[in-house]
Amino acid sequence: MKFLLYTVIIVVGLMQGCMTNPVTGRKSLDLVPASEMQSMSYTEYGTFLSSHKLSSNEEQSAMVTRVGTRIQKAVEAYMTQNKKSKNLNGFKWEFHLVEDPTVNAWCMPGGKVVVYTGIMPLIKNETDLAVVLGHEIAHAIANHGAERMSEGMVQQLGGVALSVAMSNKPAQTRALFAQAYNAGTQVGIMLPYSRLHESEADHMGLIFMSIAGYNPDEAINFWEGMKAASGGKGPNDLLSTHPSDDKRIADIKSWLPEVKQKYYKP
Ligand SMILES: [Zn+2]
């Protein structure tokens, strides 16, 4: 059965689409065109914002916009330098701090970012926020949600074309999107990203924060703090329940010399 599933994934992947990570070069299954992902993202983002209250803390809200915009400029600079600016076609960046006690943040396709007030007590300064936003924005730049959604489509909808799925099974398609982005306001399911995706987002986030002028060494302290804060909490992109927090920190330490040398110009 597993063999059959993998065969289907490979065949469908070859027939319909693959994407290459703009930073790591890894190839992944991608059945959902970026324009479709963005259009679903913009709808879900609007729904999320209309059912949540924006933070009334002007100072913190301004910090989210300021740091988010610096990471955005860094991503744009990286993409221009590497001749991959078309990966950002259709992006409509937005940054909001919402009232919600959950320790969380995410970025949906097209640069739609939300930070929850629940994470702010763990943010000591702008650099900590740059670690979070670099990581979350990296998930979007790497199209991790599209990859999760593509795998979900193969498993749950038999890998049918998205246009067919959307017209025949709109509820399932929407649920898959929500699950893929942990933005499950309708279904209430929060899935942690896989270890591979986490690792990619950590590495890319380190590069983006460095280009934005934040010292990437600070990422170590931040993740140490998150590790200490994560005891017993539910699955969540930032407070992971992975037993691999030490691996994450060790990986970041191993990437730092190269990242700093290539991208950090204080
Ligand atoms: Zn993550």
Side-chain angles (χ1 to χ4, degrees):
M1 185 57 204
K2 256 203 164 149
F3 172 74
L4 182 66
L5 179 64
Y6 290 138
T7 308
V8 169
I9 289 174
I10 290 162
V11 170
V12 172
L14 288 175
M15 277 163 51
Q16 300 200 26
C18 251
M19 75 93 55
T20 304
N21 183 297
V23 178
T24 64
R26 182 176 65 88
K27 293 213 183 314
S28 61
L29 182 66
D30 184 16
L31 305 179
V32 192
S35 58
E36 294 288 354
M37 286 306 280
Q38 285 171 1
S39 129
M40 280 185 280
S41 165
Y42 299 160
T43 304
E44 289 296 328
Y45 195 68
T47 305
F48 182 89
L49 288 181
S50 64
S51 60
H52 285 75
K53 198 171 154 290
L54 293 183
S55 167
S56 54
N57 186 323
E58 286 177 21
E59 200 183 317
Q60 287 186 345
S61 302
M63 180 165 101
V64 166
T65 303
R66 190 166 56 243
V67 176
T69 305
R70 273 175 72 171
I71 300 286
Q72 171 195 341
K73 301 283 177 222
V75 170
E76 289 168 351
Y78 181 94
M79 293 299 181
T80 303
Q81 213 169 42
N82 291 281
K83 301 193 168 38
K84 297 196 186 292
S85 292
K86 68 172 175 27
N87 288 38
L88 300 176
N89 282 352
F91 267 57
K92 293 180 187 164
W93 296 89
E94 242 183 286
F95 309 93
H96 289 294
L97 179 64
V98 300
E99 289 291 346
D100 190 312
T102 317
V103 179
N104 204 11
W106 40 255
C107 175
M108 291 204 294
K112 298 296 192 187
V113 173
V114 158
V115 176
Y116 295 59
T117 48
I119 199 176
M120 295 315 280
L122 292 162
I123 302 288
K124 298 181 299 299
N125 50 45
E126 292 206 8
T127 305
D128 281 352
L129 190 56
V131 176
V132 171
L133 293 181
H135 176 96
E136 295 304 333
I137 287 170
H139 277 307
I141 299 300
N143 283 317
H144 287 159
E147 184 176 0
R148 281 149 65 103
M149 189 165 170
S150 299
E151 286 165 1
M153 286 173 70
V154 170
Q155 284 164 16
Q156 294 179 32
L157 305 176
V160 292
L162 180 76
S163 53
V164 178
M166 288 189 80
S167 52
N168 292 349
K169 302 185 174 187
Q172 286 97 321
T173 309
R174 197 166 168 216
L176 279 170
F177 177 87
Q179 285 174 35
Y181 278 93
N182 289 343
T185 49
Q186 306 298 315
V187 289
I189 293 172
M190 305 265 272
L191 296 172
Y193 282 101
S194 70
R195 187 58 228 156
L196 173 67
H197 285 178
E198 282 308 295
S199 183
E200 259 184 10
D202 284 343
H203 194 174
M204 293 167 70
L206 221 52
I207 292 173
F208 297 149
M209 77 179 282
S210 300
I211 296 172
Y214 297 103
N215 186 346
D217 284 335
E218 299 297 325
I220 302 289
N221 287 334
F222 175 77
W223 289 115
E224 295 274 10
M226 291 306 270
K227 183 183 147 193
S230 69
K233 304 271 169 57
N236 171 320
D237 186 41
L238 290 163
L239 287 180
S240 79
T241 53
H242 290 300
S244 44
D245 286 335
D246 292 326
K247 170 94 169 83
R248 149 175 275 160
I249 291 164
D251 283 345
I252 290 175
K253 281 183 180 159
S254 76
W255 295 322
L256 272 172
E258 191 193 343
V259 168
K260 279 179 83 174
Q261 200 238 325
K262 277 170 94 169
Y263 302 106
Y264 184 50
K265 308 275 180 273

